[in-house]
Amino acid sequence: MSRLATGLHRLRRSASSPWEVLWSALASCGLVLFSQLAVAMVPRLFPSLSLLAMLPIAGLVFIPAILLGRLWRRFIGVAASAPLFVLFNILLLWGVYVFVIRRDTSSLLDMLINAECALLLWGLYRILSGDPGIVACDSSYLEEDGCKDFVEAIYPSEKLPMLSRVRQCNWCKANVRGYDHHCPAFGTCIGQKNHRLFMALLTGFVVAESTYTMCSTKYITRCINSGTLRSENPVSLNMVISTMLFSILQVLWQIVFLMWHIYCICFNIKTDEWINWKKYPEFQMREQPQSDLEVKFVNPYDKGMLCNIREFLKPK
């Protein structure tokens, strides 16, 4: 129950009443439907184009649809939730698969994609309700070591070894051990305690959306080869094509994102440390001790690829 309470607290962090939480959920659901219907207009307006040609058009339509949806939310004064947006997208893809595509899918593939969607929902719940590695420190310890506040203590970690590699999130102001970045999609920081779950979720999204794309392609190919393309429900067919295009667009950036995080794991560096290394003294190497001009990057945490991977899988 404590995990569930934590997850609900994060979802309504910006809301002060249950009604605002409900309106946020409705806004997120509406934004999902609006963006998917906008992409569904691509095969409707350009039926003669190939699926590959529709892909860049779908990307150009999807981004303005999201921006327009956000402007409309601000105009009516309703805040949406990014984690709920992710949740409703999973449910929409799963729903289109179950009610439209499933009849043309083999039993093995059917079990696989249903298991993948269920695991994504479970992983989303776990990362929302889990602790990323938040660190709290008594102010008396900071005063003893001559630090005015937590932020001052974090940067020179030699003062307080227990705060080594603890960073403050600029988004939610939490102090997180092994802080990598704040993930708006999951509504939480990614730190030492949930980094492995984050990687598993990211990989799961890539696999599930790739599987969905394969099932959608088989469905569309079957309709074309059997000559039943025109007899199919146009709304259902357009939703299959639009969700498939959405899945491909998602996979394209998620693979790049996944490769970046694999690189960081192999060299034992966090995204925040890579971007803001000039804020952290341990990453700075000066050619001349008193010179501020000749500052080079050095990674003191890199112990070799195998040791770095082992440390990621079994953190101390």
Side-chain angles (χ1 to χ4, degrees):
M1 287 299 293
S2 61
R3 282 184 173 179
L4 180 59
T6 305
L8 289 174
H9 171 71
R10 284 177 181 165
L11 285 177
R12 61 179 182 230
R13 182 161 48 193
S14 60
S16 58
S17 70
W19 285 109
E20 291 187 15
V21 177
L22 177 61
W23 283 116
S24 178
L26 292 175
S28 301
C29 182
L31 187 58
V32 168
L33 293 176
F34 175 71
S35 59
Q36 291 290 348
L37 288 174
V39 176
M41 293 302 295
V42 174
R44 182 74 175 175
L45 296 176
F46 307 99
S48 60
L49 292 180
S50 65
L51 294 176
L52 187 61
M54 289 183 188
L55 189 60
I57 300 176
L60 293 174
V61 169
F62 181 76
I63 294 175
I66 292 295
L67 295 176
L68 186 61
R70 288 183 176 180
L71 289 174
W72 173 248
R73 286 190 295 103
R74 290 183 180 180
F75 178 74
I76 62 177
V78 177
S81 167
L84 287 175
F85 181 82
V86 174
L87 171 64
F88 288 131
N89 268 307
I90 297 173
L91 294 177
L92 177 65
L93 265 64
W94 200 357
V96 173
Y97 168 77
V98 169
F99 293 107
V100 183
I101 304 173
R102 188 177 190 178
R103 64 177 181 268
D104 296 311
T105 307
S106 65
S107 299
L108 181 61
L109 197 57
D110 178 58
M111 288 189 296
L112 179 63
I113 192 169
N114 281 297
E116 289 170 353
C117 291
L119 286 173
L120 284 180
L121 294 178
W122 177 78
L124 185 61
Y125 161 73
R126 286 294 303 273
I127 203 166
L128 274 172
S129 59
D131 174 24
I134 295 176
V135 175
C137 185
D138 196 315
S139 59
S140 61
Y141 291 105
L142 302 180
E143 292 174 359
E144 289 177 5
D145 288 272
C147 300
K148 296 179 180 179
D149 53 26
F150 206 113
V151 178
E152 185 180 341
I154 289 174
Y155 293 152
S157 56
E158 296 81 2
K159 287 187 176 182
L160 290 174
M162 67 176 178
L163 298 182
S164 177
R165 228 166 182 188
V166 175
R167 316 296 184 194
Q168 187 178 64
C169 173
N170 292 327
W171 186 286
C172 59
K173 305 304 179 184
N175 303 295
V176 183
R177 187 179 303 282
Y179 175 75
D180 186 86
H181 69 286
H182 184 94
C183 181
F186 297 146
T188 186
C189 296
I190 305 303
Q192 181 173 297
K193 290 187 177 180
N194 65 357
H195 201 170
R196 294 178 300 283
L197 176 59
F198 169 78
M199 290 298 293
L201 259 178
L202 185 56
T203 304
F205 272 102
V206 171
V207 173
E209 287 161 349
S210 299
T211 307
Y212 181 84
T213 300
M214 181 173 61
C215 294
S216 303
T217 304
K218 285 186 177 181
Y219 172 83
I220 296 169
T221 303
R222 193 272 305 170
C223 291
I224 294 174
N225 293 338
S226 62
T228 60
L229 190 63
R230 293 186 177 181
S231 61
E232 290 288 330
N233 186 330
V235 176
S236 299
L237 183 61
N238 286 340
M239 286 304 297
V240 171
I241 296 175
S242 67
T243 50
M244 183 191 70
L245 294 173
F246 171 78
S247 297
I248 295 173
L249 292 172
Q250 289 290 98
V251 168
L252 289 177
W253 75 263
Q254 286 169 355
I255 286 179
V256 176
F257 200 48
L258 180 62
M259 291 175 63
W260 163 254
H261 281 283
I262 292 174
Y263 167 84
C264 289
I265 291 168
C266 291
F267 291 94
N268 200 357
I269 190 167
K270 309 300 181 183
T271 302
D272 175 71
E273 294 172 342
W274 180 269
I275 296 172
N276 301 309
W277 65 272
K278 290 186 178 181
K279 292 199 308 184
Y280 308 122
E282 65 265 37
F283 292 99
Q284 300 173 20
M285 182 180 69
R286 289 178 169 82
E287 295 292 337
Q288 299 177 6
Q290 303 299 326
S291 174
D292 293 332
L293 298 177
E294 298 294 334
V295 180
K296 292 185 178 180
F297 172 83
V298 60
N299 184 5
Y301 303 108
D302 187 1
K303 305 177 182 68
M305 188 175 296
L306 292 178
C307 290
N308 294 336
I309 295 173
R310 191 182 303 117
E311 183 176 321
F312 172 77
L313 295 174
K314 294 183 178 180
K316 297 179 181 178

